[in-house]
Structures are given as structure tokens and as C-alpha cells.
Amino acid sequence: MGIQKDRIKFNVGGRIFETTATTLGNAGRDSFFGALFDDNWNLLRANNNQEFFIDRNPDCFAILLDLLRTSDLHIPSNVPERLLYREAAFYGLSDHVRSAKWGPFDGNRLSLCRSVTGRAPGDGTAIRAGPDGGCAVAHGSMVHVFDWMLEEHPPINLDYQRVNDIGWVNTDGIVISACERLGTADGGMGLFTSSTGELRYKFNVVHDNQVKSYAAGALSFSPDYKIFSSCKGRSNEYGVGVWDQVTGKQIDFFYESPGWSLGDADKLQWLDRRNCLLVATLFPRKDNCYISMLDFREKRMVWSWSDIEAPVTVDEKRVRDAIAMEESNSICVVNEYEDLGFIDLRMSGGSVRWSSRSRLNKGKMPDESCYPKLALHEGQLFSSMNDCISVFCGPDCVLTSRLRRSHGGSICDFSIGGDRLFALLSEENVFDIWETPPPPII
Amino acid sequence: MSNQKKRNFQIEAFKHRVVVDPKYADKTWKILEHAIDEIYNHNASGLSFEELYRNAYNMVLHKFGERLYTGLVTTMTAHLKEISNSIEAAQGDMFLEELNRKWNDHNKALQMIRDILMYMDRTYIPSNQKTPVHELGLNLWRDNIIHFIKIQMRLLNTLLELVKKERTGEVINRGLMRNIIKMLMDLGSSVYQEDFEKPFLEVSAEFYRGESQKFIECCDCGEYLKKAERRLNEEIERVTHYLDAKSEAKITNVVEKEMIANHMLRLVHMENSGLVNMLLDDKYEDLGRMYNLFRRVPNGLSTIRDVMTSHLRETGKQLVTDPERLKDPVEFVQRLLDEKDKDDSIISLAFNNDKTFQNALNSSFEYFINLNARSPEFISLFVDDKLRKGLKDVSEEDVEIILDKVMMLFRYLQEKDVFEKYYKQHLAKRLLSGKTVSDDAERSLIVKLKTECGYQFTSKLEGMFTDMRTSQDTMQGFYAKYPELVDGPTLVVQVLTTGSWPTQPSATCNLPAEMSALCEKFRSYYLGTHTGRRLSWQTNMGTADIKATFGKGQKHELNVSTYQMCVLMLFNNADRLSYKEIEQATEIPASDLKRCLQSMACVKGKNVLRKEPMSKDIGEDDAFFVNDKFTSKFYKVKIGTVVAQKESEPEKQETRQRVEEDRKPQIEAAIVRIMKSRRVLDHNNIITEVTKQLQSRFLANPTEIKKRIESLIERDFLERDANDRKLYRYLA
């Protein structure tokens, strides 16, 4: 054995660090250190054995070097996170820090990591997780945007109209759907750059070759860059609009048929395997619940369900949220008592099979209750009720975990994305961030 | 701090702005610009990466991102302008070399610049919707070099010229070519398509249009196809060497269109070398090539298929209607089989066992086999021939192969019931004369017929086999009961079920006394064991083995028919018998008697009788003697009957008639079946349905169906609708 040949010496802000090419290679090509390698991943060194000077903070460099060595992030208490994030951004290591900060999402291992207090008046409307750990929160007509470091970016609004839904099209794009202001072209839908809050473009709706103003409702996105939204126009032009998110142009419109509801929909969900859009209009937006699947290639409703004809039962089970589970060919629904029910997607006109789970929450309903919401993530089903979120696993949807915080009121919306769960609480204008801790050392 | 003393805070205006170097941005940019210059001048080794990276970082941090970005664009554009001039100045072959070298330099420079400006690339560019540095570098290269007016056309022409050179056999620098094309692809698929692929395809189309015209004038079809195939392979190879893989389909499309699709008909019909000649001469290789090439173009295969079909029909028609060929049925069928083998091997060797071709072949055979009404008879005769003697020294597998082939021909027949008729006759003869070679082969064929046409088709044939077997048992029982009979003449009786066997005009003759006693004994034995049956003798179908001693004491065992035996037995008591006397004594029908006398008196080597006058034919006034001088090398002598193996004209008519007669109940049954389920149906639909139901057995004649319908109306199975005369109703 001889002397290691791949050693390299850094002088960072006066402190000497020594490391190896292998460790630096972990930083990847798109980083400060990646530029120190040639095409074959051999270290470039201009003057041999001389130290490489970097004019940066040595404490943070030590943490980041440790991260490259071990893929494990440890931030000493004397180093503020913000400082570390800034240094990581300099070296192009932000992604490394982010992926080491919390582990891959698992509903049964979540722990509350932070609560962020907003300054918005009134109740929150919606919260949406971004693809890389950030989130957007809608309060009335304003949308506040936070990145994965939970740094707040300039807030977004669409002509200060009431926001109905928000959604991330990618790490840097947010779509807002809002009410229209009568007599103007305000409201509708717009795409914003999340980091700067700039409006990139507004989405128009054209009926009979005329641009009309409209109110946009629920949003959904497909992997081939389409945006779907439920729309209400003033001359009864109700239905679901489709836009291209790259060009911003309207490409399709599915008009609501009489006796059915699309334009009022609470929830849209793109089903990639079936190449269909799930549209759900639920009580109490309408007196009845309508769930349908639209195939835009054939311009046809391929599946539908409604409770119009269903007998009203004693405890009046009304569907309050619905989510399609493509793996099990069913739609999961929830009522105001957080009973789960299932509808078979393979045949039209089936009925809801309510699960016989005992109602744990009965009898202690808070004064101001929120409607339950559903979410699906990698086979785990989440349902929010009052101040807690239940996690269900397995093909039979067994209750496995409950997430609850002691104060803050009931949960009016929650969202999963970027390996985080965000829950928006109605009373104290606060949202919680739940994360899975990094995997254990061994 | 005490609360009593409240201080009044006064907020003052912020007096001291932080003063920074006002030329900070300019200075930093100068450093970076200098670095970019140095990189393009190959002087990068003297630069400090950390310093440059830090400077770029600081510029973005201090909101000079825009400045940095526009500066980059300006500087890089200036360098590319310089580069374009030096590329343009390169002469002749150096042009591509220079372009390639500069492209490599630019790529290296771009990598370094991107490393330095990485922070801008990560933060400023995405949030301001700008083009990332690497992509920007490619776009600038495209706009300043590739789309530079003095370079664009020259580049295209150089590339096309090189391709042309290679097509005419010259060796070109493929590595350089690959690098340049790769550059175009790196600049985006639209650059590659617009600046190279599209013109390349146009020029190629022109090239091949000319070349194919030249080839088709001077080459025969096989040779032309060889050349076309080589060109196609060359183009595919070219794509793998230096073009985008996506171009393969496009360029092959061009070659296919220009060299094949445009000349398809001319090639197929080319005189002396076209498709028909290839088929005739078994040119598998050429045919395979034609198939593979034509498969690539629209309507290519259907063109081949149509020509092949009409050729097959034509040759097949000649084969089945040529009167010369009709003389020997075995030969006739053998020719059909040979033709089928030949066509099969063409399809499997050259046409990739294409299903549509197989279907075309089948329909052709179906077409021409049925052109000749005697095909069913001939096929049955062929089987007869094979099962009589043809399969003697053939292994079991080979037998199966031959039978399978016959079945294949059988499938083509429309009048399967005619075949059945003949087959039954021939089988009966084989069984009764004991001439069948292999029981297994017979049974195997029956099984095949059964799978093809169902139980009903073969039940009678199977009945014949059963009869043969039970007859054996019956004879054993008979002799076991009367052991004393062993010493006398041996009688072998085959009891045939009426109906299973082809009906024969029952013409009994007078048996010799010895035999008739024995027969009577058997009759009483048989009727004693089986009640309610009738036994009648079919003397016209039997055979006999008799021992004879001739004049010089030579002893022979003669194998003769029952009729012949009756005649010969008469000579035990007489030396000379006239025709009339024989006819009177035996009561054999005249035509049969003549035939059997002819075979005993007129066939050389088998003439156990002598006749006066000596002549070939039997006259009413002839006289017969035992031929004392009869000699034979063999102890056993088989005396055949002179039979017309093929059916004579009246017999044929008779068979035909019998077939027609048999069809009547089948057609009627079909009509009734259909009407029972449909209740009401119009005439045309009945005809179609009946034809469809019966087509597995025969092709029903519409006029015959009409007659049957009328007959059924007469018998009150159906009635005509009162209003619409074309409608029939079923009467339950």
C-alpha cells in the first residue's frame, strides 16, 4: 500500500480540510465540486498538492463535507439552518441537504416537524404540497408560497379574487383557480412562477369563438402537461375545461349535460392508467352527489354514479369527499362521520359499500367542524376529520395510525407531496408540516 | 430598567447608506468576460475556478443576474462570429474538419463556462424563465454557425456530396461524417431534420429514381431485386454508421418507394424472369427476396399473391382438364399432390409461411379441383391404389404423411358425398377381396375422415369394418360347432349388413353341389344363432382357392372368383363345354360370365381354359376345354377378373344418380331443420342457409333445393305465404 493519490486539500475561510475525490464525487456533476472533475471523473488540479482556497464559511463547509461523506445530515445547535441552506445553495448542494433532511414518506412513521403561523385573515381555503417539499396556502384571495426550507416567497393573487383551488404544475409553477368578478375579465385561472410570484399567463375560456369570463373551481393535472378545471360561465357554460400548461392555450371543453353536474365539481382527479378524469360534485355544493369519469378522447362520460335515487337512510350518509384508487378499481368516499365507503369502478351505477368501521369520533364533534378530506399516497389512504388525520393501509384499508396535534382546531385541508404532509388548521391560521425522520443509522 | 421613566423614541431617517463600489458589477463582469475569452483562446489553465465561481455567485446575489446573463450572450456571440469566419475560410475538405474541431472546442468551452456560472444556472435562470447556459450555447452555435448564410448551404452540399460519393462506391471519412451529423442532432431534432434529413431524403429519392430506371431497363427481375436489396441494406447500414436511428424508416421508405413500389407491376410481370417464371423454376431465393422487398411497400404482397393465384389457377386448370391426364387417376392425383408439395415449399421457403398466401393457395386448389367432376372418384381411386399395394414397404410415418396429403385434397372437394360413395365402393372391394395392405392405414384414414366430416360421414365405413370382424368370429363358431366339416372344402362367409355396404344387384348363381350344401348348412347355423335375419348370397363378390391337376400332372392352386370357381367346377365332369351350356349350368349373368371366361381363357399365363375358336373376345357359340398344357412358374396362380378399374360411362352415370338420390333426403332434412327454427323465411335465404349447412359435404344445387322445397310443400311440411309467394312457412 502506498499513499492515497486522490487526496485533496481545501482551505475554506482559513480552515484546512482534507478529503478525497470519491467523497467530492458524491456531490454530482451539477455542483461546485463537480466542476473540479474532468469528463472521466478524474480530479483536475492545476498546481499539485496545493490547497484549494474557497472564500466561504468553514463551519458550514464541515457540515456539508460530512454530508457528502456519510449522506447523513447533522446540524449542530450552534449553526442556524438558514445559514447552512445558504451555503448549500452556493455549492449547489441544496438537493443533497433536502433529501438528507427527512426520509422517504411513510404515513405510519410521520412526526410533526414544524408549525408555521400565517398572517392571513379568515379561514384557510386550501393547502397544496409542492413537488420538492414546499407548499402553497390559500386564504381567501391570497396564496402564500413556501419553499422546502419554509422560506416564504412573494404571495400570489389573481386580481384579488377568491381562490377556489391551487395546484403545482412543477417545482416552479403554481396554478390558481379563482372566482370571476362580474362584468370584468378578472378571475378565472392563472399560472404563476412560485419563486417570484410573477403571473406567467392567464387561461382563457372560449365559447363559440368568444372569450368569456368564468369562475374556475377544482384543478387537476395530467403527466402530458394538461390542466383540467371545473368551470362556471355566466351563460350556463358549465363544464370541465382543458388547457395546455406549456402554451397556456385552451384545448378542449367538456360541457355539462342537463341533470348532471360538472362545472360545480369539488374535486378533479386525473387517472393516468385509465386515461380518464374523475369529476366529483358533492354535498352540500349541490343537493346530490355526482361522481363521473370523463374520457376526453371520445368526449364521453365512461362511468358515473349519483345518489339521486339512493334512499335516504336514517343517519343520512352523504358523500363529502371521493378519491379514485386505480389499483383496486374502486372509488373511496367518506361521509361526515368519517365512515369510509367504496364504489366499484368497473361497472356503472353500483352502490356505495360502507365499511363497518366503528365510529371513534362520534359524540365529540367540535363546534366548528370541517368536512372530511381524503388523500392517497403510494397505497396509503389518508382521511382528515376534525383535528386529526387517519392513515389506512392494505387492500382492506385498515386504520394504522392517527396524526393529531393538541391545539389549533380542526383540519380544513391537507396535502401530501415532496415526502411531506401539510395540514392546514382552521382556527389558528397555522399549518403543520409532518415528515418521516431520516432512516436509522443501521 | 424602570417603568416609570418613559422615553420618547424618535425615529430618524436612515442616514448612512451602505456604500459599495459603484463599479462593482462592471469590474466583476470584466473578470468573468476575460475568463470566457481565455477559455475560447485555450488559456483556461491559468484561471482560478473558485474565484470565477465566487464572482458569478456574487453577481447573482447582488441582483446583477441580468447583467451577467446578457454579458454572457454578447461575449459568446462575439466568439462564435469569429469562429464562423475561420470555418468559412477553410478550403475544400478542410471545411468539415474545421467545423468539427471548432464544435469540439465550443463544447469544451461551454462546459467550463457553465461550471463557472453554475449558480446563475441554478437560481437566476429558472426563476426568470431564461435559457440554461448549455442550451444557450447550443442555440447560439446554431444561429451563428449552422444557420450562417455562408455556411448553411455549403455544409448541406458537402454532406450530400459525401453521401453520393459513398453511394457510387468511394470511401469517405465516416467518423467525421458521424461527428458532424451528431452535432446537428445535438442542436435539436428540428435542426437535424430541416438542415439535413429533409434535403437528404429528397436527393436520395432523385438518385434512386434514376438508378431504378436504369436497372429496370437492363436487368432481369431477379437481378434487379438483388440490387434493390443491396441498396436497401446499404442505406440501413448508413443509418447505423452516421445518421440518426429515426432516419432509418424514412430513408428505407424512399428506397422502397422509388425502387420497388414504383416498378412493382413491371417487375412482377417481367418477361422471362417475372414472378411466374420464378414459380415455374423453383427460384426460392429470388422469390424470398421478392417477398421480403414487396412486403415493405403497400399492396406489395397482394400484388404477388394475385399473380400467384392466377398462375396457380391456370396451371391447376390445365392439370385437371387435360384429357391426357385423366387416363390414369393415380397419376392424376399424384400430380396434384406434387403440385401442392411444390407450392407448399415455395410458401414455406420463400414466402415466410405467410397465412394469406396459404389461404390463396388453398382457395386456388379448391377452385380447380372442383372444375373436374371426377376429382372425388380419382382421389378415392388414388387411396385405393395406395392401400392395395402402394404402401407395402413404407414405414408407418410415411403412410401417415401420404394419408394426410390425401386428406388435404379431400378438404378442397366440394362434393364430399361423392367421394364417400366411391370410397365406400372401393373400400368394400378391398375388404372383401382381402387386398387391403394395412388395417392400421385403413383405420387411420377413417379416423381422419371422421375428424374432418363428423361421425355420420364414417359410421357406415366403420360398420363395414365391424362386419369383417364379426364374420371372422361367426366362421370360427361355425367350424367349432361342426368339426367334421374340416375335411371338406372350407367355406368363408362374410356377413355384410345391408345398408352399410354399397348395394349390389343381387345376382345369385348356381353353386356347385359341394358348395351349396355347405352354404345351406351355414345358413341354418347362422339363422339359428341370429333370429329375425335374412341371409342372401352375393356370389358376385366372393373368391375361391381351388386345387387343380392338369394334363401332365402339374398341380396348381388357383385363386379365382366365385363365378370362376363355378365355371371351373363344371369341368370336373366334362372336357368340353359350350358357352350356352356353361351359362345354363351356372346362371351367371351374361356380362359377368363373359368377363370371367375371358380372364380364364384369353389372358396369357393365366389361361387355365382353352377356347375354340381362339380369339380375344367371348362369343355365344364358343366352346371351352381345360387347358392341359397350362404351366406356371408358381404353384399358386391368381386369376384375376378382367375388370375395368375406372368406372365405365354407364356406371358413372349410375353412381352419379345414386349420389343425387342420396342428397335429396339430406337437403330436405336441412330445409326442415332451418324452417323449424326460423318459422318463416324467404326463398333466397333458405337457399343460402341450406347451402351453408351442407357445404361440408357437398355443394347443393339451387334448383335441386327448389325441387325439394316443392316436394316438402306437397307433403305439408311447408306452405307458401298467402300474400308473399316468396315466403315459406313451417307447418308444425
Side-chain angles (χ1 to χ4, degrees), chain B residues 405-418:
Chain B
K405 284 182 180 168
V406 171
M407 282 309 297
M408 188 184 59
L409 290 183
F410 168 76
R411 255 171 241 140
Y412 296 138
L413 290 177
Q414 275 166 358
E415 302 193 299
K416 296 198 169 59
D417 58 339
V418 178

Side-chain angles (χ1 to χ4, degrees), chain B residues 502-531:
Chain B
T503 40
Q504 294 281 343
S506 176
T508 40
C509 68
N510 290 339
L511 291 171
E514 303 90 316
M515 290 314 298
S516 60
L518 200 52
C519 287
E520 269 320 303
K521 197 146 198 165
F522 178 79
R523 179 195 292 275
S524 55
Y525 163 78
Y526 185 79
L527 295 179
T529 48
H530 300 85
T531 49

Side-chain angles (χ1 to χ4, degrees), chain A residues 39, chain B residues 39 103-113:
Chain A
D39 288 344
Chain B
I39 287 170
W103 165 246
N104 288 334
D105 288 351
H106 177 64
N107 264 326
K108 277 192 198 121
L110 195 53
Q111 181 61 43
M112 286 189 227
I113 293 168

Side-chain angles (χ1 to χ4, degrees), chain A residues 30-31 53 55-56 90 193, chain B residues 50 53 57 114 118 122:
Chain A
D30 283 345
S31 69
F53 178 76
D55 183 14
R56 300 301 297 188
F90 173 81
T193 301
Chain B
E50 193 272 343
Y53 187 97
Y57 171 84
R114 199 205 87 106
M118 193 183 291
R122 281 175 159 279

